[in-house]
Amino acid sequence: MREVMARARFVRVSPLKARLVINEIRGKPVAEAERLLLFSPKKAARIIKKVLDSAVANAQHNFELDPDRLYVVKAYVDEGPRLKRLKPRAFGRADIIRRRLAHITVVVAEKEE
């Protein structure tokens, strides 16, 4: 069984919010996963759909796998670095705003008969 991977790194979405979406597609056939992502209202769904499409294109182009028989083997979101920003507060103080980044990985494989 050949596994094909696609990864998007340093994506400007919170890893917690992205994990809510990625948990929905894990273990599903690619067609069903794409349908779920297409109609999801979450921001992370658009990004994850691009990564899934990239994994399917890699499988089709590099390994000549049939895209209709592919399913999502693994899908996970790792935490990336944080962008730190300062927000002015009262009495000359400052709060740190942490803008979180994520690394999104999707692995697809062909279903065995």
Side-chain angles (χ1 to χ4, degrees), residues 3 5-8 15 18-23 25-27 48 51 72-79 102-108:
E3 293 183 346
M5 179 179 72
R7 181 181 286 150
R19 282 185 195 118
L20 290 173
V21 178
I22 207 123
N23 289 338
I25 68 166
R26 194 176 295 118
I48 293 169
V51 179
V72 181
V73 179
K74 297 180 216 166
Y76 53 91
V77 178
D78 294 325
E79 190 168 332
H103 302 318
I104 300 170
T105 306
V106 175
V107 179
V108 296

Side-chain angles (χ1 to χ4, degrees), residues 46-82:
R46 286 194 330 268
I47 300 163
I48 293 169
K49 185 173 181 328
K50 282 185 180 183
V51 179
L52 179 63
D53 289 343
S54 177
V56 171
N58 289 342
Q60 191 174 8
H61 183 265
N62 297 340
F63 301 104
E64 292 157 1
L65 299 178
D66 183 17
D68 296 329
R69 295 179 56 204
L70 293 177
Y71 73 105
V72 181
V73 179
K74 297 180 216 166
Y76 53 91
V77 178
D78 294 325
E79 190 168 332
R82 292 180 180 159

Side-chain angles (χ1 to χ4, degrees), residues 11-12 14 16 20-22 25-26 31 33 36 55 58 72 75 83 87-88 97 99 102 104 108 112:
V11 178
R12 279 289 299 269
S14 169
L16 277 172
L20 290 173
V21 178
I22 207 123
I25 68 166
R26 194 176 295 118
L36 283 169
N58 289 342
V72 181
L83 302 176
K87 183 175 183 180
I97 306 292
R99 301 205 184 274
I104 300 170
V108 296
E112 294 296 323

